[in-house]
Amino acid sequence: MLGYAVRRLLQMIPILVGTTFLIFALVFALPGDPIASLSPDRPLPPSLVNAVRERYHLNDPLITQYWYYITDLARGNFGVDFHDRPVADLLAARWPVTLQLALTAWLMKIVIGVGLGFWSGLRHGRAADHFALGFTVVFLAVPGFVVAMGAQWLFGFQLHLVPVVGIEAGWPMAFLLPALVMGLESSAGLSRLTRTSLVEVLRSEYLRTARAKGLSPARVIWGHALRNAVIPVVTYLGLSLASMMGGAVVIEYIFNLPGIGGLMVNSLALQEGTVVVGVATVLVLVYLLFNLLVDLSYGLIDPRMRNE
């Protein structure tokens, strides 16, 4: 198992370098002069502009700028913005909000998506199965921002059950509504995946053999079917938590949550390239970490995968 984990870690290094370079190149290829945003009302003196550009290596070629960034990143330094504030401090102030939102939404997604998927798969072709499929179609078709505004109107303004915006109420009350919106939207795909995986496993030959040997239906399902049906579900769940952290920008904006999504939007508007790249790099690292955890869970669920 240790060798399997080491191989996966080594495979992450070129992926991290490639993705961070692509993000770095795209951000710093944006039109406009980032120095001009420091003083939008009047132009800065040329001497000050040159000093700032030298300070942040903006006059260097792209590959040189990236070398400075990646070497600092290897030492745990995410750089500073144009006001000399460490990007790591900005991330630390915003990260807990996004993490609480993503984890709460992820747990709701598991409960709703996996529960509904297994319930539908075990009743394949019945009325319950058709109801679950209809539920998923609705939430796959309706845009997330429409669901978010509808939830605000119903649960916030009409029923007054939860706060509509902000985090003043703290966890969990301030995060229940935005997390429910995110969880419902993403649980539809998880439910369909869980149902399809379970139905395919239940039709397999080895389960027919297990039934023919006289095993009880409960043992066939819980002892054999679920272990194999859960493998694609584990992949989806592991990677979806990382994607939820990056995809919370719209929800954080609608519900006025001060997370890293808002930080990225504001930094893009101000052309704070170092902050944007720092946020994107953290999201890439989180995604790679969860991808590694998913791979390791594969090795635990099915030992054959350790030798691949």
Side-chain angles (χ1 to χ4, degrees), residues 133-183:
L133 288 175
F135 171 84
T136 59
V137 168
V138 169
F139 281 97
L140 285 172
V142 179
F145 69 90
V146 175
V147 177
M149 291 187 290
Q152 282 181 321
W153 176 82
L154 177 60
F155 296 106
F157 294 112
Q158 297 299 318
L159 301 178
H160 304 286
L161 295 177
V162 290
V164 176
V165 294
I167 59 172
E168 289 77 11
W171 191 90
M173 292 303 298
F175 294 89
L176 283 178
L177 194 57
L180 179 62
V181 172
M182 290 180 63

Side-chain angles (χ1 to χ4, degrees), residues 205-219:
E205 292 292 337
Y206 76 93
L207 285 187
R208 293 177 184 173
T209 304
R211 295 189 191 100
K213 288 182 177 180
L215 294 181
S216 65
R219 187 172 179 184

Side-chain angles (χ1 to χ4, degrees), residues 12-71:
M12 289 170 55
I13 296 175
I15 297 175
L16 176 62
V17 173
T19 52
T20 53
F21 177 76
L22 180 61
I23 294 168
F24 192 92
L26 290 174
V27 169
F28 284 89
L30 293 174
D33 186 3
I35 306 302
S37 63
L38 297 177
S39 180
D41 297 330
R42 58 180 182 178
L44 296 172
S47 58
L48 180 58
V49 171
N50 291 331
V52 174
R53 294 186 69 86
E54 287 292 332
R55 165 73 173 80
Y56 294 99
H57 309 289
L58 298 180
N59 293 324
D60 295 329
L62 173 63
I63 192 66
T64 304
Q65 294 184 47
Y66 179 72
W67 173 253
Y68 284 125
Y69 178 76
I70 200 67
T71 52

Side-chain angles (χ1 to χ4, degrees), residues 8-283:
R8 290 295 184 264
L9 282 171
L10 293 177
Q11 291 172 1
M12 289 170 55
I13 296 175
I15 297 175
L16 176 62
V17 173
T19 52
T20 53
F21 177 76
L22 180 61
I23 294 168
F24 192 92
L26 290 174
V27 169
F28 284 89
L30 293 174
D33 186 3
I35 306 302
S37 63
L38 297 177
S39 180
D41 297 330
R42 58 180 182 178
L44 296 172
S47 58
L48 180 58
V49 171
N50 291 331
V52 174
R53 294 186 69 86
E54 287 292 332
R55 165 73 173 80
Y56 294 99
H57 309 289
L58 298 180
N59 293 324
D60 295 329
L62 173 63
I63 192 66
T64 304
Q65 294 184 47
Y66 179 72
W67 173 253
Y68 284 125
Y69 178 76
I70 200 67
T71 52
D72 285 343
L73 183 63
R75 295 191 293 266
N77 180 13
F78 285 87
V80 296
D81 66 1
F82 291 133
H83 299 280
D84 278 333
R85 295 174 299 183
V87 175
D89 292 348
L90 298 177
L91 288 170
R94 300 281 193 123
W95 184 257
V97 174
T98 299
L99 186 60
Q100 289 179 78
L101 173 62
L103 284 174
T104 308
W106 189 65
L107 292 175
M108 290 184 177
K109 174 179 181 174
I110 293 175
V111 172
I112 299 172
V114 175
L116 188 62
F118 279 128
W119 182 61
S120 174
L122 293 174
R123 292 160 178 79
H124 175 59
R126 304 178 190 175
D129 185 25
H130 297 308
F131 168 79
L133 288 175
F135 171 84
T136 59
V137 168
V138 169
F139 281 97
L140 285 172
V142 179
F145 69 90
V146 175
V147 177
M149 291 187 290
Q152 282 181 321
W153 176 82
L154 177 60
F155 296 106
F157 294 112
Q158 297 299 318
L159 301 178
H160 304 286
L161 295 177
V162 290
V164 176
V165 294
I167 59 172
E168 289 77 11
W171 191 90
M173 292 303 298
F175 294 89
L176 283 178
L177 194 57
L180 179 62
V181 172
M182 290 180 63
L184 283 174
E185 183 181 9
S186 56
S187 66
L190 176 61
S191 173
R192 295 180 76 101
L193 174 64
T194 305
R195 172 192 176 275
T196 301
S197 179
L198 182 59
V199 169
E200 289 179 354
V201 171
L202 290 174
R203 291 173 175 172
S204 61
E205 292 292 337
Y206 76 93
L207 285 187
R208 293 177 184 173
T209 304
R211 295 189 191 100
K213 288 182 177 180
L215 294 181
S216 65
R219 187 172 179 184
V220 170
I221 292 173
W222 298 103
H224 296 276
L226 292 185
R227 184 170 184 177
N228 290 280
V230 80
I231 291 177
V233 176
V234 168
T235 304
Y236 188 90
L237 284 175
L239 299 181
S240 67
L241 177 55
S243 64
M244 276 182 162
M245 294 182 187
V249 176
V250 175
I251 296 299
E252 288 182 358
Y253 178 78
I254 293 175
F255 288 91
N256 194 27
L257 302 177
I260 60 173
L263 176 63
M264 177 174 280
V265 170
N266 294 334
S267 300
L268 278 171
L270 297 174
Q271 293 185 306
E272 288 276 7
T274 306
V275 180
V276 175
V277 173
V279 172
T281 300
V282 168
L283 294 176

